[in-house]
Amino acid sequence: MNENNWLSLHVFLSDPEKSLRFLNEWLAPQVQRLVNSNSLDRWFFIRYWDGGPHLRLRFKINKPYQSDALQNALQEVIVDYSADKAITREQYYGAHSFDGETLNIETLDWYGEGAVVPISYEPEITRYGGDQAILVNEQLFQVSSDIVLRICREPNTNVQQHLMRAMSLMAATFFGYSCDSNSGFDFFDGYASYWRTYSEAAAEAELSAGKEANAGIVRTVGELLHSINDRDSKQTLETIWSASIRDAITEFESIWKNGELVSPLTGAPVETEDDFHTAVQLMLSSQVHMMNNRLGVIPTQECYLARLLANAVQGV
């Protein structure tokens, strides 16, 4: 654990089906155990590629002995979730786009299948608005992670259904901030434009989405907006997420008025109201991306979904 009581474990698993089993069979029960014992202040996970495909598990544990117990329990079971035939460094890095960057694969780390490596969690403080706002964002990381674990347990979900759920959560993120269709178009148009540069495939996916006129998606987005605005509507994962976003923005506003919010772009203090809204939208873009990351939605798919949403919100 680091000085902030974060236990950070990188768990290297390359088989997607076994990784899903790991989330359902091991991670979810362990999180619940820590919650039940009042040992867990915060937790979340992300997926990442550096060193090989892996899950980064972060736990802010208030009872140090629980950290050792958790690591020991993980080491005992990790072989059950390791791929039968491990992917090689050459296979993996040879097919990877590295988030659009040009990298020399010879300089990259590589860990073996089933490795469990304690590597410190270094919060991206500027990206998430400064020392106070990062705490609010970490709370959203936990809500997002809890939501994704619930989605992972849903039976018989095909790829298209999974992407539509991701799209609904993307929309719910923005609707927690604003219900204005013009602002929604600008948000998702900017999001798609950013990820368009990720690869040629992303640009082609965005172009494909731009040609689609899908009345069903417009209807879905409209129904979602109605359910978010109607406090008496049935609670869903989307309404839970949107409400969490709304609460976070209230906290961001308080942090801003106390002079403690910084720009995710420059790191400078946020002063004007326009700059506040810009900072909030940048943080929400990061939350959208990290939700999609946890869902296993790749940037090419994000670009496609963002363009669909940009088109759809104009029709709501």
Side-chain angles (χ1 to χ4, degrees):
M1 285 195 303
N2 65 18
E3 65 274 12
N4 294 319
N5 294 327
W6 281 101
L7 172 65
S8 177
L9 301 173
H10 293 199
V11 183
F12 290 83
L13 300 171
S14 63
D15 185 316
E17 291 187 6
K18 288 191 174 184
S19 294
L20 178 60
R21 281 183 47 221
F22 172 79
L23 293 174
N24 287 334
E25 297 175 2
W26 190 85
L27 181 59
Q30 289 294 330
V31 168
Q32 192 60 54
R33 179 183 67 79
L34 290 169
V35 169
N36 290 345
S37 64
N38 296 315
S39 303
L40 193 61
D41 293 332
R42 188 75 66 231
W43 87 279
F44 65 93
F45 81 96
I46 65 172
R47 304 173 191 265
Y48 209 63
W49 58 266
D50 190 9
H54 64 281
L55 300 167
R56 296 185 175 184
L57 312 182
R58 274 77 185 259
F59 305 92
K60 194 168 188 179
I61 295 176
N62 56 47
K63 297 177 181 177
Y65 71 89
Q66 289 281 15
S67 296
D68 292 336
L70 189 70
Q71 291 182 77
N72 292 337
L74 179 53
Q75 292 286 4
E76 289 176 3
V77 303
I78 196 61
V79 66
D80 296 336
Y81 302 102
S82 299
D84 296 330
K85 185 177 181 180
I87 192 171
T88 67
R89 176 194 185 102
E90 292 71 25
Q91 288 171 327
Y92 184 66
Y93 284 145
H96 208 285
S97 59
F98 306 115
D99 291 341
E101 298 181 40
T102 301
L103 299 176
N104 179 1
I105 67 173
E106 298 302 323
T107 65
L108 300 176
D109 292 329
W110 184 256
Y111 297 91
E113 180 74 16
V116 178
V117 186
I119 298 178
S120 294
Y121 162 48
E122 302 293 340
E124 296 180 271
I125 293 174
T126 299
R127 177 182 178 183
Y128 290 102
D131 290 329
Q132 297 304 310
I134 184 67
L135 302 178
V136 180
N137 278 291
E138 286 172 343
Q139 186 172 354
L140 289 175
F141 295 165
Q142 175 168 324
V143 176
S144 172
S145 297
D146 287 335
I147 285 172
V148 170
L149 287 188
R150 289 179 62 177
I151 292 171
C152 287
R153 293 195 293 272
E154 293 178 351
N156 303 319
T157 301
N158 61 37
V159 173
Q160 187 65 21
Q161 290 170 325
H162 194 68
L163 288 177
M164 290 303 99
R165 172 52 67 82
M167 187 187 70
S168 292
L169 288 165
M170 290 171 71
T173 306
F174 183 79
F175 289 154
Y177 165 69
S178 171
C179 296
D180 180 72
S181 60
N182 290 328
S183 297
F185 172 81
D186 290 342
F187 180 82
F188 290 114
D189 176 67
Y191 196 89
S193 297
Y194 176 84
W195 286 109
R196 179 196 305 147
T197 62
Y198 175 78
S199 67
E200 290 184 10
E204 291 171 0
E206 185 196 11
L207 182 63
S208 172
K211 295 177 180 178
E212 294 186 25
N214 194 322
I217 291 176
V218 173
R219 183 170 58 253
T220 297
V221 171
E223 291 171 352
L224 174 62
L225 179 58
H226 175 75
S227 67
I228 288 170
N229 287 330
D230 182 3
R231 302 301 175 89
D232 295 326
S233 65
K234 179 182 177 181
Q235 189 178 70
T236 66
L237 296 181
E238 287 81 4
T239 60
I240 290 170
W241 179 236
S242 190
S244 297
I245 293 292
R246 190 181 300 116
D247 291 343
I249 291 170
T250 299
E251 294 189 61
F252 291 146
E253 185 172 12
S254 177
I255 292 167
W256 167 51
K257 289 181 176 178
N258 288 335
E260 297 177 296
L261 186 68
V262 305
S263 166
L265 284 178
T266 67
V270 172
E271 297 181 354
T272 69
E273 186 171 354
D274 284 347
D275 289 342
F276 168 72
H277 287 289
T278 297
V280 167
Q281 290 189 45
L282 287 168
M283 289 187 288
L284 294 186
S285 292
S286 291
Q287 289 290 345
V288 167
H289 178 57
M290 297 319 300
M291 175 73 84
N292 284 331
N293 168 281
R294 295 180 181 102
L295 287 167
V297 174
I298 63 175
T300 297
Q301 295 167 326
E302 289 192 85
C303 189
Y304 172 78
L305 295 176
R307 180 53 59 197
L308 287 180
L309 282 169
N311 294 343
V313 295
Q314 291 182 302
V316 172

